[in-house]
Amino acid sequence: MLDATTAAPALADRLARLSGEGALDVFRRATALKREGRTIVHLELGAPDVDAAPHVVDEAVRALREGDARYVAPAGIPALREAIAADVRSRGVEADADQVLVTPSAKTAVFYAMLAAVGAGDEVLVPDPGFPIYPSMARFCGGVPVGYGVDAHNAPDVDDLEARIGPRTRVVVLNSPNNPTGGALDAAATARVAALAERHGLVVVTDDIYSRLVYEGDRAPSPAAFDGARDRTLLVDGFSKTYAMTGYRLGYLVAPRPWLEPLTTLAINGHTCVPPFIQRAGVAALTGPQDLVASQRAAYRARRDLLVAGLNAIPGVRCPTPAGAFYVFPDFSEALAPRGLTSRELAHRLLEDHGVAAIDGRAFGARGEGRLRFSFASAEADLERAVARVAEAVAGLSVER
């Protein structure tokens, strides 16, 4: 047995390839400050401020009370796999239930997709700025993440993506609408990504978790809906954002048929199965009333407009209007550069001195320097309070602390 004087065994090298998620680090610190009696405006997490719809909760409770909490098939219960297949078909993606793998969160689905697609030395094109878990997972799988940028509308820059395809490129990771920018590709740009994947023989891992949270149209297009990428796309989605089911940890992966059996074996090794009562809640979410989805999207649009207008009214701040998701990614460079400050320092001051929890843009990649991510999945009163505090922080910036 190890004691305090005994050195612990060395960890496997692969764990050093992983990096964390900035939002959770900020959340922990913000929570600690709140316990000290501070008033904190939480804009760091991408978590809806409402509960899941009553019919979703009722179905989970009913299933649990009826004993639906035993082992089930690793790929998922038939009812949920069928509901997911029907949902993706409504987006133009040709898929059947036997192409669906249910996972404990969309993040797990991304991880499984990367483990299945990325080999040692493979280059993986990842959005920068983008969700920090993508490059972390690519490194863990032995790959080399290569960042591509966003365009003038904060959407994934397909021109830059194309320019970075090289002989070692194996996988393209797409996230549209994008976290952290909220930028989204239209159908024409998405079709270009599909064509590039076909031309260069690439696998596309598309994280469509925000596909319903768009402010023009019904759903964001998926590369899996286009001929060039149908048979080379691993489509990831989940229930956390759209259906306010963050704690349910329910996601899924839609893949070409030849991939499903190996992916299911990976799932057997990783989690065995997703609890069936959670899956029953997913069926209720997809097939039941969609009132909450519609009302939340309308609420997010109003909050987006409030936050964008408020931030743009602050001297030295430029905040593009996001097309989807529930984040803004304002640029503070004009206010920071003359004072020699970084976005990390600004995020620190905002939290410690002004009680606003936001995420440093560098947490999402090198191209995020000078920017902060704010979630507007919060009440309008919180957003108004945050804007006032951000304005106060920017007005008081100086090199000295």
Side-chain angles (χ1 to χ4, degrees):
M1 176 182 289
L2 295 176
D3 59 33
T5 63
T6 304
L11 292 168
D13 292 343
R14 70 177 66 89
L15 290 185
R17 303 174 199 160
L18 291 171
S19 55
E21 188 178 339
L24 298 178
D25 295 335
V26 175
F27 176 70
R28 283 192 289 269
R29 177 58 182 159
T31 301
L33 290 173
K34 195 169 184 178
R35 285 198 298 266
E36 295 173 6
R38 296 279 302 280
T39 301
I40 304 297
V41 182
H42 286 278
L43 303 186
E44 73 276 31
L45 294 184
D49 64 333
V50 296
D51 295 325
H55 68 278
V56 172
V57 178
D58 290 346
E59 180 61 14
V61 172
R62 182 203 64 76
L64 188 58
R65 288 189 181 281
E66 292 182 5
D68 211 351
R70 298 177 175 85
Y71 287 130
V72 292
I77 63 173
L80 182 55
R81 297 176 78 193
E82 289 164 4
I84 289 167
D87 182 67
V88 299
R89 284 196 299 270
S90 74
R91 303 177 61 195
V93 178
E94 295 179 3
D96 294 314
D98 63 353
Q99 294 176 253
V100 176
L101 173 67
V102 179
T103 58
S105 80
K107 186 183 288 185
T108 304
V110 173
F111 212 164
Y112 287 173
M114 299 280 259
L115 284 167
V118 179
D122 289 341
E123 289 187 349
V124 181
L125 299 184
V126 297
D128 178 2
F131 188 44
I133 299 305
Y134 305 144
S136 177
M137 291 176 178
R139 288 190 299 269
F140 185 83
C141 296
V144 180
V146 176
Y148 64 89
V150 295
D151 62 20
H153 302 288
N154 265 350
D157 188 336
V158 183
D159 288 335
D160 193 36
L161 185 158
E162 180 176 10
R164 296 179 187 280
I165 296 174
R168 295 172 56 196
T169 306
R170 162 72 171 162
V171 176
V172 172
V173 179
L174 190 68
N175 179 217
S176 175
N178 172 273
N179 171 16
T181 70
L185 295 179
D186 60 18
T190 307
R192 278 190 63 197
V193 175
L196 288 170
E198 181 181 33
R199 185 184 315 152
H200 296 278
L202 307 177
V203 176
V204 180
V205 176
T206 180
D207 184 354
D208 290 1
I209 191 71
Y210 300 103
S211 67
R212 280 186 175 84
L213 294 178
V214 291
Y215 303 108
E216 297 295 336
D218 181 47
R219 298 283 289 275
S222 176
F226 296 90
D227 289 338
R230 288 186 197 278
D231 296 327
R232 55 181 62 258
T233 298
L234 304 173
L235 186 158
V236 172
D237 206 339
F239 294 77
S240 292
K241 312 300 184 181
T242 298
Y243 293 104
M245 294 170 63
T246 53
Y248 289 66
R249 310 313 298 141
L250 182 60
Y252 58 85
L253 185 58
V254 181
R257 280 189 179 84
W259 289 64
L260 245 292
E261 185 175 346
L263 282 166
T264 302
T265 301
L266 184 56
I268 291 169
N269 279 263
H271 69 271
T272 303
C273 64
V274 174
F277 64 93
I278 296 294
Q279 295 191 55
R280 292 291 178 190
V283 175
L286 285 177
T287 63
Q290 301 296 301
D291 301 9
L292 178 68
V293 178
S295 64
Q296 281 303 107
R297 189 161 71 165
Y300 293 147
R301 178 194 289 273
R303 296 171 187 180
R304 176 199 68 173
D305 294 345
L306 183 157
L307 190 53
V308 168
L311 291 171
N312 277 326
I314 301 172
V317 181
R318 185 181 64 84
C319 185
T321 301
F326 38 52
Y327 310 110
V328 294
F329 200 54
D331 188 347
F332 290 82
S333 299
E334 184 181 330
L336 294 170
R339 298 165 176 85
L341 298 173
T342 66
S343 49
R344 180 178 181 179
E345 290 170 316
L346 176 58
H348 178 79
R349 294 187 186 192
L350 269 177
L351 179 57
E352 300 292 335
D353 300 341
H354 301 275
V356 176
I359 311 301
D360 168 27
R362 279 296 296 259
F364 302 97
R367 293 179 179 86
E369 175 55 52
R371 293 162 173 78
L372 299 181
R373 192 196 77 174
F374 298 92
S375 168
F376 51 85
S378 301
E380 290 191 10
D382 286 337
L383 300 179
E384 291 171 345
R385 190 176 300 115
V387 167
R389 294 183 182 188
V390 171
E392 181 182 73
V394 171
L397 286 178
S398 66
V399 177
E400 300 297 328
R401 285 288 288 151

